[in-house]
Amino acid sequence: MTKWKKNLAKSIVSIDELAQNIHLSNTERQELIEISKRHPMRITKYYYDLIDWDDPNDPIRKLSIPSIKELDKEGDYDTSGESTNTKMPGLQHKYKATALVLSTNICFMYCRYCFRKRMVGYSSDEILSRLDESTSYIKKHKEINNVLITGGDAFTLSNDMIENYLKELTEIDHLDFIRFGTRIPVVFPERIYNDNELLNILKHYNTKKKIIIVTQFNHPKELTNEAYKSSQALLNAGLNIRNQTVLLKGVNDNPLTLSKLLNNLPKFGVHPYYVFQCRPVKGVKNNFQLPIYEGIKIIQETKHYLNGISKGFRFAMSHPRGKIEILGVTDNKFIFKFHQNKYDEDEGKIFLRDIDKKARWLDKDLNPII
């Protein structure tokens, strides 16, 4: 067994393992056990050791430890209409140019704000089971010029499986690049820098089609020396790394915190790509989601502290109709723009909505898009 696999085996996976750090009443313990049956807990020892147990509001703790707030069922499980874009189990085609492959329902750490709580770590119904069928679909749809392999977490796959995906996809002429969606550089970086086999696979296939890593750093505490080693290993293999931060209540909803994160990402060779409005997921909405108005103010103030590279991201939401950029406000209106669109009639559309300072999502709290 490789060293990183031995360390992965030390992951915290049961509520009882939290007892040395968190005092739980019998009722609280039982509630968390019930939550973890539906939305599993798994925390790598590496990430667990980043928690400051003297700080009850520690952001790493909030991101990784189950909370009784997850019992709140307000919201939806499919907030961006993934079910309507599914062409076969494990393959979605929402935007003309992009095919999305759900390669696994496994993560090395289950983030408590996950927008795929309906399936991640729990249900395998939406996972790709036949690579050849998805490859056939992509070959037939020549408008597809890129594939995003995600999950779960794509880098929890075995090296053989990762190579199988790359071997098949890099032979498709009309694909320009391939993306992997993964939090591994954040939550378990040694899986990358301590695995030369993986790095050699990525380096080899990167010469055939450009490979881009899309990861998710959400707080400056995640930018560790270990994470730096991981990012440098990927960069040295010739890959590009982009970051999608989620704006999260109680984690990074402070301009100084968010600006520290975004300013330091380029030092790691990681390009700030999106800051996303948290989705109104069951068990997530009232725990992590901020009002849109408050989010706009946080982003605006954050940009005061950023350099040109760090402020190149878009503040957006992943809506059933597409990725909608949240541009800002007038005296009494929100300003939105379609950055990516599912329907042709929405392409490039800018639209306004009356300001509602409590609204947290389009179509739910604001008037529907028309």
Side-chain angles (χ1 to χ4, degrees), residues 223-273:
L223 293 171
T224 65
N225 290 335
E226 295 281 294
Y228 182 81
K229 288 169 65 176
S230 176
S231 66
Q232 297 314 293
L234 292 169
L235 293 171
N236 289 337
L239 279 63
N240 290 331
I241 312 172
R242 294 196 165 215
N243 192 74
Q244 300 183 151
T245 294
V246 182
L247 186 61
L248 299 165
K249 182 170 62 177
V251 175
N252 56 20
D253 56 338
N254 178 294
L256 293 179
T257 300
L258 190 57
S259 62
K260 183 177 180 181
L261 169 69
L262 296 170
N263 273 330
N264 279 288
L265 284 171
K267 297 178 184 178
F268 280 56
V270 179
H271 180 73
Y273 183 32

Side-chain angles (χ1 to χ4, degrees), residues 91-224:
L91 189 141
Q92 297 175 19
H93 190 189
K94 181 176 183 177
Y95 306 122
K96 288 182 180 179
T98 303
L100 186 148
V101 172
L102 297 178
S103 61
T104 177
N105 66 337
I106 301 300
C107 295
F108 285 166
M109 193 197 80
Y110 296 120
C111 302
R112 306 324 299 179
Y113 60 90
C114 180
F115 72 89
R116 290 198 178 112
K117 274 183 173 287
R118 68 184 188 277
M119 57 167 281
V120 170
Y122 177 73
S123 171
S124 60
D125 294 344
E126 297 181 59
I127 301 306
L128 183 69
S129 58
R130 296 181 62 85
L131 178 57
D132 54 346
E133 290 180 2
S134 66
T135 302
S136 177
Y137 178 92
I138 294 166
K139 286 179 178 178
K140 291 177 183 177
H141 290 263
K142 298 189 183 301
E143 73 273 19
I144 296 173
N145 64 27
N146 75 99
V147 174
L148 171 60
I149 304 170
T150 183
D153 192 308
F155 275 8
T156 65
L157 297 171
S158 69
N159 291 344
D160 286 345
M161 184 58 70
I162 290 172
E163 185 166 24
N164 285 341
Y165 274 107
L166 290 172
K167 187 181 298 182
E168 292 292 329
L169 294 174
T170 54
E171 293 301 317
I172 301 176
D173 289 340
H174 56 88
L175 290 185
D176 296 328
F177 59 93
I178 298 161
R179 289 177 286 168
F180 284 94
T182 175
R183 275 264 283 168
I184 297 300
V186 184
V187 303
F188 192 55
E190 73 167 295
R191 189 273 184 266
I192 294 172
Y193 71 73
N194 259 343
D195 195 329
N196 287 328
E197 181 183 55
L198 171 64
L199 292 168
N200 287 333
I201 290 169
L202 296 172
K203 184 175 183 179
H204 171 71
Y205 286 98
N206 189 56
T207 64
K208 297 176 178 290
K209 300 283 185 183
K210 196 62 185 174
I211 298 173
I212 300 171
I213 303 301
V214 182
T215 192
Q216 191 177 109
F217 289 92
N218 286 316
H219 193 275
K221 284 187 68 172
E222 296 174 329
L223 293 171
T224 65

Side-chain angles (χ1 to χ4, degrees), residues 341-359:
N341 47 286
K342 179 177 179 178
Y343 305 108
D344 289 343
E345 63 265 28
D346 289 332
E347 185 169 0
K349 182 189 292 183
I350 295 175
F351 60 98
L352 307 178
R353 288 293 177 268
D354 292 338
I355 288 177
D356 177 346
K357 292 186 178 181
K358 295 182 179 180

